Amino acid sequence: MNYYLRRTIRIPATILGVATLTFGLIRLLPGGPFTQLRIQLRRRGMDAQEINARIEALQNIRPDKSLPEQYIDYLIGVVQLDLGQSISLNKPVIEVIGQALPWTVFIVIVSTLLMFILGVLLGSLQAYWEGTTFDSVGSGLSILFMSIPYYIYAVAFLVVLAFSWRVFPTSAAADRSIEAGFTVAYAVSVLHHAALPIISFTIGGVGSTALSMRGNSIQVLGREFVEVARLRGLSDQRIATRYVAMNAILPMYTGLLLLIGFRLGGTVVLEEIFTYPGLGFYLIEGVNANDYPLMMGCFMVITIALVLAVYVADMTYGLIDPRISVGDADEY
Amino acid sequence: MQMSTDTDVNWQSERTDEAIDWRDRLHEGFVLRIYEPAIIAWSDRRTQTGLLIVLVYLSMALVDLLGLWRDASTSQAPRMLGAFQNWSYPLGTTQSGVDVLALIIDSTPFILQMVLAGGVWATGVAVIAGTISGYKGGLTDSVITAISDFFMSIPGLPLVIVLGITLEPESPLVLGVILTINYWAGLGRSIRSQVLSIRNESYVEAARAMGTSTVRIIRKDILPNLMPYVLVNFVFAARYTIFAAVALYFLGVLPYTGQNWGITLNYAYNQGALFGLEAIHWLLAPIIAIVGLACGLILLSQGMDRIFNPRVRTRLTGESESVESTPDHTTEVR
């Protein structure tokens, strides 16, 4: 079967798997679904039927049905984009997520691109000047940057730049007084609010990108085809970009797939520190407020976002590397 | 070789021959696998520093286990003492009068156990899944790849948060495994692609033609080739475990009983914010503890690269001249 077709078919399968996992986890949550809420409601003097109806509205799980029925109901709800009702915010979960998702995607994409570009530039310069002071200082800095988790930069920036110097805002995704829309003022406000999260997330990843780019480039530089290209009298610039950089970046592209996952997950910490209203922020909100529908909804949507991101990356990998193997290997 | 002197006596006896063979192999293995790499590794400044840093953490754990430093408890010292002001509390004290150094030392064994569990779990599962799927190919490969692709498509931290609430892990070993519960998937995928290229090497093909069992081929021909990669990635998995654990304790979403660096960071950040620069030592101590451990591990892995990379290795021992010319390539391309 065609690789691209097969890869596309796998998406619904993966999402089904994720939904199943989410369902299972909801069942496993301490005290089962909504024990706490049930007790609260009963204290208020609500009768059992009313409580069941209320809980059913909150999460599309009917407590009185059998497990397979609950599962089917849950899946139908997911397909209809019904992820239940947030207890703490008193809004449908899907509405909260609809507002939060763009911010998270924005932060992850911009910071990952910046990290990749800066890391590749730094790494290739180090490789060209291998052994010089620039190289050793660069490597030292890269190792130092790798040792500091991104949230430490976030905390430092927040304490110094936002709280002490008041150069940057301490929370929210945009100034509330400015109306959302395609205006310059709004765009500036968005960038101003996103700057610190993006910068701390970028710095947190530049070190490892630079180090692996440096290693790959040095390896490629020692290959015969680079020598041949030089003997053919190709310009240095062409060799540097087409022959060395391309081949050094290739192995990093597969790493990028994994990186997107780590970074999407990392937004949980980042957004909580900056009180930035993305998916991760609401996930933690859900955790802290015992708001399971919100928590599980955010978890599922973050996961689906990752599934799609990896899909896009997988699809485009074939464009970059024509050698991609699509057939199965023989079984020994 | 030392073999000759021993074998002169009774080489005809099969049993002793085997014994000598075994002893000799052990000796050779020691020289080849431990002694020589250790010499090469030690010649690298990065390995030296990395090893020293890791030793510092190990001795901190030892100090805690032997009870050589006081345990952390509230009101054991004057409140909000700065760092290096009173030498009975070198790192200062917190707002509730806890010795900061005691806080850091108390949590070292916990963190080290967690990091070890995380690293072993992540790399162990990845190696098993990656080698089997890469070497066997066919249906086995498809099944394992499908499973690991599924795990790869779940972002780590959110999954850990949800699992943390569901399972409420308190043992450092369990926690380490949970933190890296799906870390193996990505690593397994890259190990698989390495195995794919090794399985078609002529010596592996020869072993297969001779009818060597799959298990033996994987153990003898494939795994040794992967070791450097696996060891380096063990360090990355370990680094990921510390970072993730501290992040989640910092956010307060993992259940906790005792002390650890993440919780210290959380308290310092939330309560210390009121004090401004006066509380900076309290905030910096756990940060430096985390960064130091991560830095030591990364330096070690960078140094290990030198042991395993044959090009660098020959350059070190000065056996090869061809590699000396490599820096020239780089200058020419500019």
Side-chain angles (χ1 to χ4, degrees):
Chain A
M1 219 200 298
N2 184 307
Y3 169 75
Y4 296 99
L5 190 66
R6 229 176 15 184
R7 188 66 186 76
T8 313
I9 291 174
R10 240 178 39 208
I11 290 199
T14 316
I15 292 179
L16 177 72
V18 171
T20 311
L21 181 76
T22 321
F23 176 77
L25 284 171
I26 293 176
R27 302 284 323 171
L28 278 175
L29 283 169
F34 302 106
T35 313
Q36 245 183 334
L37 187 73
R38 194 179 288 270
I39 296 167
Q40 273 176 17
L41 291 177
R42 192 162 296 156
R43 273 206 205 116
R44 279 191 225 154
M46 219 180 255
D47 65 77
Q49 221 169 11
E50 214 174 321
I51 293 175
N52 276 351
R54 192 59 192 280
I55 286 173
E56 190 188 308
L58 284 176
Q59 177 97 40
N60 39 5
I61 287 181
R62 287 160 197 264
D64 50 344
K65 280 195 179 176
S66 71
L67 203 61
E69 273 180 307
Q70 286 182 20
Y71 176 60
I72 300 287
D73 280 353
Y74 182 78
L75 289 187
I76 291 173
V78 169
V79 171
Q80 293 169 340
L81 292 180
D82 173 14
L83 297 173
Q85 183 92 6
S86 160
I87 303 172
S88 56
L89 301 171
N90 208 10
K91 270 199 260 180
V93 170
I94 195 74
E95 201 177 294
V96 180
I97 288 175
Q99 284 161 3
L101 182 65
W103 297 121
T104 301
V105 171
F106 171 60
I107 295 272
V108 170
I109 289 184
V110 173
S111 71
T112 307
L113 280 180
L114 273 181
M115 173 206 84
F116 206 67
I117 294 170
L118 290 179
V120 163
L121 278 179
L122 187 67
S124 38
L125 285 181
Q126 277 178 271
Y128 289 153
W129 294 323
E130 190 198 356
T132 60
T133 325
F134 174 79
D135 178 31
S136 36
V137 170
S139 297
L141 280 181
S142 294
I143 291 180
L144 187 67
F145 279 152
M146 274 172 84
S147 324
I148 305 177
Y150 55 87
Y151 48 85
I152 297 294
Y153 300 108
V155 167
F157 286 149
L158 194 67
V159 168
V160 178
L161 294 178
F163 280 117
S164 297
W165 296 357
R166 300 182 184 279
V167 190
F168 285 97
T170 56
S171 67
D175 204 327
R176 288 209 181 82
S177 57
I178 303 172
E179 206 180 319
F182 287 101
T183 56
V184 177
Y186 185 70
V188 168
S189 167
V190 164
L191 285 180
H192 192 212
H193 282 76
L196 286 187
I198 288 180
I199 292 173
S200 25
F201 222 8
T202 306
I203 297 181
V206 162
S208 47
T209 318
L211 270 189
S212 53
M213 181 65 192
R214 174 181 178 273
N216 290 348
S217 304
I218 290 177
Q219 231 168 22
V220 175
L221 282 168
R223 294 275 193 75
E224 277 156 5
F225 65 81
V226 177
E227 194 74 12
V228 171
R230 206 171 285 133
L231 290 176
R232 278 169 63 200
L234 295 178
S235 74
D236 283 354
Q237 203 190 354
R238 191 178 165 81
I239 296 176
T241 51
R242 292 297 295 255
Y243 286 73
V244 180
M246 275 295 263
N247 282 295
I249 291 173
L250 260 189
M252 290 168 63
Y253 196 77
T254 31
L256 196 64
L257 305 184
L258 283 173
L259 217 64
I260 300 172
F262 287 131
R263 294 177 80 78
L264 256 177
T267 54
V268 174
V269 186
L270 207 64
E271 290 173 355
E272 177 67 14
I273 291 174
F274 286 109
T275 332
Y276 194 82
L279 281 179
F281 173 74
Y282 284 111
L283 179 75
I284 302 286
E285 287 292 284
V287 170
N288 289 338
N290 269 332
D291 187 348
Y292 290 152
L294 182 62
M295 177 179 97
M296 296 316 290
C298 288
F299 171 69
M300 203 162 85
V301 173
I302 292 183
T303 310
I304 292 176
L306 178 58
V307 172
L308 295 179
V310 171
Y311 172 71
V312 170
D314 261 357
M315 290 285 116
T316 48
Y317 186 74
L319 297 177
I320 296 175
D321 187 359
R323 295 168 308 180
I324 181 170
S325 81
V326 287
D328 286 315
D330 312 321
E331 178 142 15
Y332 288 152
Chain B
M1 286 283 145
Q2 282 193 321
M3 211 167 127
S4 54
T5 49
D6 290 279
T7 40
D8 279 344
V9 191
N10 48 2
W11 58 272
Q12 278 169 315
S13 156
E14 223 174 52
R15 217 174 134 225
T16 39
D17 193 27
E18 238 172 37
I20 286 160
D21 191 36
W22 173 81
R23 198 192 303 160
D24 190 59
R25 217 194 284 159
L26 200 72
H27 177 77
E28 198 179 312
F30 173 75
V31 169
L32 210 73
R33 295 239 162 82
I34 298 170
Y35 180 71
E36 281 184 352
I39 293 280
I40 296 168
W42 189 249
S43 68
D44 189 286
R45 226 177 35 237
R46 292 172 299 187
T47 326
Q48 285 179 15
T49 348
L51 211 59
L52 282 179
I53 293 175
V54 172
L55 275 178
V56 167
Y57 282 89
L58 286 178
S59 49
M60 265 161 65
L62 204 65
V63 163
D64 181 59
L65 293 178
L66 298 177
L68 294 178
W69 192 262
R70 64 177 83 87
D71 281 344
S73 64
T74 45
S75 310
Q76 64 183 179
R79 292 176 178 204
M80 279 311 244
L81 215 57
F84 311 120
Q85 287 182 2
N86 180 340
W87 283 105
S88 21
Y89 311 103
L91 293 184
T93 57
T94 72
Q95 186 215 348
S96 50
V98 186
D99 179 10
V100 174
L101 182 60
L103 278 178
I104 300 294
I105 288 183
D106 264 3
S107 33
T108 311
F110 180 92
I111 299 269
L112 290 185
Q113 282 179 59
M114 186 188 70
V115 163
L116 194 68
V120 168
W121 164 264
T123 40
V125 178
V127 166
I128 294 172
T131 40
I132 292 180
S133 130
Y135 184 75
K136 285 291 280 184
L139 184 66
T140 326
D141 181 29
S142 303
V143 171
I144 295 182
T145 309
I147 296 175
S148 69
D149 274 2
F150 174 68
F151 275 102
M152 248 176 75
S153 56
I154 304 173
L157 279 186
L159 177 67
V160 174
I161 291 176
V162 174
L163 280 179
I165 292 168
T166 318
L167 305 174
E168 304 191 330
E170 271 164 20
S171 138
L173 300 179
V174 177
L175 188 61
V177 170
I178 289 185
L179 285 169
T180 51
I181 189 99
N182 69 344
Y183 189 98
W184 62 270
L187 184 56
R189 186 156 149 167
S190 47
I191 288 181
R192 171 181 172 271
S193 62
Q194 298 209 358
V195 173
L196 276 181
S197 61
I198 299 173
R199 91 205 267 255
N200 290 328
E201 293 277 338
S202 47
Y203 63 89
V204 179
E205 219 146 310
R208 198 155 47 231
M210 280 157 62
T212 317
S213 74
T214 305
V215 177
R216 196 180 155 84
I217 293 180
I218 289 182
R219 224 161 41 95
K220 290 282 171 186
D221 295 330
I222 297 201
L223 277 186
N225 283 300
L226 293 174
M227 272 334 265
Y229 188 73
V230 170
L231 277 177
V232 169
N233 273 286
F234 175 83
V235 171
F236 284 122
R239 181 182 77 125
Y240 175 79
T241 318
I242 317 172
F243 284 8
V246 171
L248 296 183
Y249 277 119
F250 176 60
L251 294 183
V253 290
L254 280 182
Y256 52 86
T257 42
Q259 281 296 338
N260 73 54
W261 303 338
I263 299 166
T264 310
L265 193 65
N266 180 346
Y267 285 169
Y269 180 66
N270 288 326
Q271 302 175 22
L274 306 168
F275 293 88
L277 277 181
E278 209 188 318
I280 197 81
H281 65 278
W282 184 13
L283 192 65
L284 276 182
I287 292 181
I288 290 173
I290 299 155
V291 173
L293 182 53
C295 199
L297 288 172
I298 293 171
L299 282 171
L300 257 188
S301 81
Q302 292 280 319
M304 268 193 277
D305 187 47
R306 181 159 287 215
I307 308 175
F308 295 121
N309 189 337
R311 209 185 74 166
V312 187
R313 200 162 154 182
T314 42
R315 190 188 324 190
L316 258 173
T317 44
E319 281 167 9
S320 159
E321 284 177 15
S322 61
V323 284
E324 295 295 344
S325 58
T326 39
D328 294 339
H329 295 310
T330 55
T331 45
E332 274 168 40
V333 178
R334 246 192 290 167

